[in-house]
Amino acid sequence: MFSRILIANRGEIACRVIRTAQRMGIGTVAVYSDADAHALHVAMADEAVNIGPAPVTDSYLRADHIIASALKTGAEAIHPGYGFLSENPGFVDAVVKAGLVFIGPSADSIRAMGLKDAAKRLMEKAGVPVVPGYHGEAQELVVLASKAREIGYPVLIKARAGGGGKGMRKVDNPDDFAEALGSARREAKSAFGDDRVLVEKYISKPRHIEVQVFGDNHGNVVHLYERDCSLQRRHQKVIEEAPAPGITEEMRAAMTSAAVKAAQAINYSGAGTIEFIVDATEGLQPDRFWFMEMNTRLQVEHPVTEMITGLDLVEWQLRVAAGERLPLAQEHIPLNGHAMEVRLYAEDPAKGFLPAIGTLHHLSFPTAVQEGDVRIETGVRAGDTISPYYDPMIAKIVVHGADRSFALAAMGSALNQTEIAGTTTNAPFLSALIDHQSFATGDVDTGLIDRQLAQLTVPATIQAGMKELAILSASGLLKRPVHGDPWTALRGYAHHGGLAYPVTLEEGGQTTRYDVTVREDERYAIFGPDFSVEVRVRHDRPNWHITGRNINLRAKIVTIPHGIAVLAGRTAAAFKIADPFLMAEQAGSAGDRLTAPMPGLVKSVRAAAGDLVRKGQILLVLEAMKMEHSITAPHDGKIAEIVAENAQVKEQSSLVRFEEAPLNTTTN
Ligand code: ADP
Ligand code: ADP
Ligand code: MG
């Protein structure tokens, strides 16, 4: 076995590989870009090497830097993870030439499967069913259009070098063919530098079912059953599960033996996935599945297979790469219960799944669920940032239950217990999917999400009590300790003659003022512009329990820059507080400094170096995320340095520095 390996990847998959290596007593070397210097995978590894600036072409795709890092640190093998260089045969050749081991298949196997057209020709020869279509050399419009007519509409145009659903166009009738071909080609050219395409029959009511295979260097190939990845949007997987709902032993036998045959045809070694498209118009029929492509690497959704087999696929990869035989023979590979994975992303489903960026101010995952087991695969911690440079995946939530209904319930619980504040996520969308009638009954196909999109992306409604909790929290009244002293306990009440605590919320571009008064212990009244409400709030740790007329909510309160997030089960709501004191406090003072709470543009500067300023005075206005934020003095003091107007600032960069001793710190 290797004594030290390098992981040529980042994020959750780098962390995943490091965990297994550590369990096996293998030393680990991480690589990282400038943007990832403080990333989790770097912290977890025994050693880490910087391989360049943030853009992937300057870092994670720099094969030369990665190989040099392995040689320099004494690593004997390189694990590529998925994406990046994992299916690049040129990289594999270079790794081998440097005297290192590539933890994955041979460059020849990758080449054989790298282009969809050649792979399909190869599979046809090996006797594996292939989607009816044209995967020849000719690329002229007239030829392809006549092939499309022969195949019969609808057809699917696919980039032969495609991946991740790019360069793919469904065409419903001959009149649209030329235009679809042009746009598929343009997309393929820019994504893969190769605009050659193939045309195949578009399968109606398609299901995506894939088979996990494993080979070793001694000629053995086994399968580890199937995964159903039919829940997709824009041809990208959203939820994966195993076994495939409704699969019969006959269907499984047909699919797994075709997959093993496919892997054997290219002397496959290591972990691989054979993806099939299945026509499910009349259920799962053993003569209605066809080879789509092979992914010659570990797949994003491999934990689903690990959950039903109890095996560690990364351990198998390491053993096979080190020359060992496959750890288990086919008949000894277990299949227990049902597993499911969702991909949790920083993205906004209501805005066409637009990727979101931001700092994960609060991040908490379940450690256990009643209905089964839960496993979280993530590469980030609370406080980490989702940057625009890489895939905005936050985590994969994986569950296992005795059967599909337990797995579904376990996923529901796991999503309920997942708390994120600081960035928009697809969590509500995932919850809606899990609850969807068709998914719950296993009636899935790749068009389900698109058909139900409107219903699945309804913006989460704010629950009754959320706003009230945010207002109370912003008033500061919830925080103060109650020591049984009646005057403290009843502060703001009789003693202060019903003193009102003002809170200003920014809602839909407007500010609204609310006043809070304390009625008696735990009871408050909130007065808005046109309403008032009385509530009772108790700290039922870690939740707050708020009750009142039409209100009965248990939720967590989390402070985020410029506001307060209220998290209750599957819903999270963020409220923006226009309170200069709170904002100044949250702008964060590192030493005697104010730092930018988020990246932005300095719109105006209202003070200069040498000025004496009063607590609460506006020092500058920062424009970030299309909104203006006033940065105010957290205390009285003298300014030593202040940022220039129109400066573009990064998150956490210094805006204002005060002279050492604040002149007069007020303590109210
Ligand atoms: P498929 O290739 O069948 O779509 P996957 O869903 O596993 O399979 O991955 C989609 C593509 O995007 C693959 O090329 C994969 O390597 C890449 N990819 C997916 N998720 C990530 C991620 N979080 N980071 C980097 N690459 C990713
Ligand atoms: P990629 O390399 O981009 O992952 P695939 O060939 O694996 O490309 O196809 C991605 C997805 O597109 C599949 O999971 C499936 O949902 C859909 N798809 C592919 N081929 C067909 C087809 N012939 N008919 C219908 N849908 C298809
Ligand atoms: Mg695919």
Side-chain angles (χ1 to χ4, degrees), residues 116 131 156 158 162-166 168 200-203 206 208 232 235 275 277 292-293 446:
K116 292 185 205 288
V131 189
L156 193 65
K158 271 188 195 178
K166 289 211 184 78
M168 208 180 287
E200 62 185 37
K201 175 97 196 126
Y202 183 82
I203 308 299
H208 173 124
Q232 306 183 343
H235 308 300
E275 296 188 333
I277 186 111
M292 230 175 359
E293 66 165 344
T446 62

Side-chain angles (χ1 to χ4, degrees), residues 505-526:
L505 288 193
E506 284 191 31
E507 299 168 289
Q510 291 200 344
T511 57
T512 314
R513 177 176 161 150
Y514 299 90
D515 288 290
V516 184
T517 61
V518 180
R519 280 291 147 89
E520 56 189 85
D521 192 16
E522 295 183 335
R523 289 181 197 275
Y524 308 86
I526 301 171

Side-chain angles (χ1 to χ4, degrees), residues 118-132:
K120 282 181 176 154
R121 293 196 292 264
L122 184 76
M123 289 299 107
E124 255 171 354
K125 260 208 295 204
V128 176
V130 167
V131 189

Side-chain angles (χ1 to χ4, degrees), residues 29-223:
V29 180
V31 292
Y32 64 95
S33 69
D34 294 347
D36 279 342
H38 303 290
L40 183 60
H41 76 282
V42 173
M44 281 175 70
D46 298 326
E47 202 176 329
V49 186
N50 179 301
I51 48 167
V56 294
T57 44
D58 298 331
S59 51
Y60 296 104
L61 291 177
R62 285 297 297 261
D64 52 344
H65 289 179
I66 289 168
I67 291 170
S69 305
L71 294 173
K72 189 173 79 186
T73 55
E76 305 145 62
I78 297 183
H79 193 301
Y82 53 72
F84 296 143
L85 295 164
S86 63
E87 293 179 284
N88 183 325
F91 178 63
V92 180
D93 283 335
V95 168
V96 172
K97 203 164 151 218
L100 302 166
V101 175
F102 179 76
I103 302 169
S106 67
D108 284 348
S109 296
I110 297 178
R111 277 195 191 96
M113 290 295 184
L115 297 173
K116 292 185 205 288
D117 54 354
K120 282 181 176 154
R121 293 196 292 264
L122 184 76
M123 289 299 107
E124 255 171 354
K125 260 208 295 204
V128 176
V130 167
V131 189
Y134 175 72
H135 11 89
E137 292 289 330
Q139 292 292 307
E140 297 80 25
L141 170 63
V142 278
V143 181
L144 294 177
S146 86
K147 293 289 177 192
R149 207 163 308 124
E150 272 172 42
I151 296 163
Y153 282 85
V155 297
L156 193 65
I157 302 174
K158 271 188 195 178
R160 65 167 191 166
K166 289 211 184 78
M168 208 180 287
R169 293 288 181 284
K170 178 185 176 212
V171 193
D172 291 308
N173 67 72
D175 295 344
D176 303 334
F177 189 84
E179 199 188 315
L181 178 66
S183 84
R185 278 203 171 127
R186 279 190 299 279
E187 193 171 295
K189 183 80 193 166
S190 79
F192 317 109
D194 178 345
D195 68 357
R196 301 176 68 96
V197 299
L198 55 101
V199 182
E200 62 185 37
K201 175 97 196 126
Y202 183 82
I203 308 299
S204 51
K205 196 157 190 218
R207 276 175 66 174
H208 173 124
I209 302 179
E210 57 188 34
V211 176
Q212 175 72 53
V213 293
F214 236 104
D216 64 19
N217 299 331
H218 307 274
N220 304 303
V221 177
V222 296
H223 70 81

Side-chain angles (χ1 to χ4, degrees), residues 5 7 71 90 103 173 188 203 205 243 337 341 380 436 645:
I5 62 168
I7 299 95
L71 294 173
I103 302 169
N173 67 72
I203 308 299
K205 196 157 190 218
E341 170 184 287
V380 291
H436 194 278
E645 209 156 275

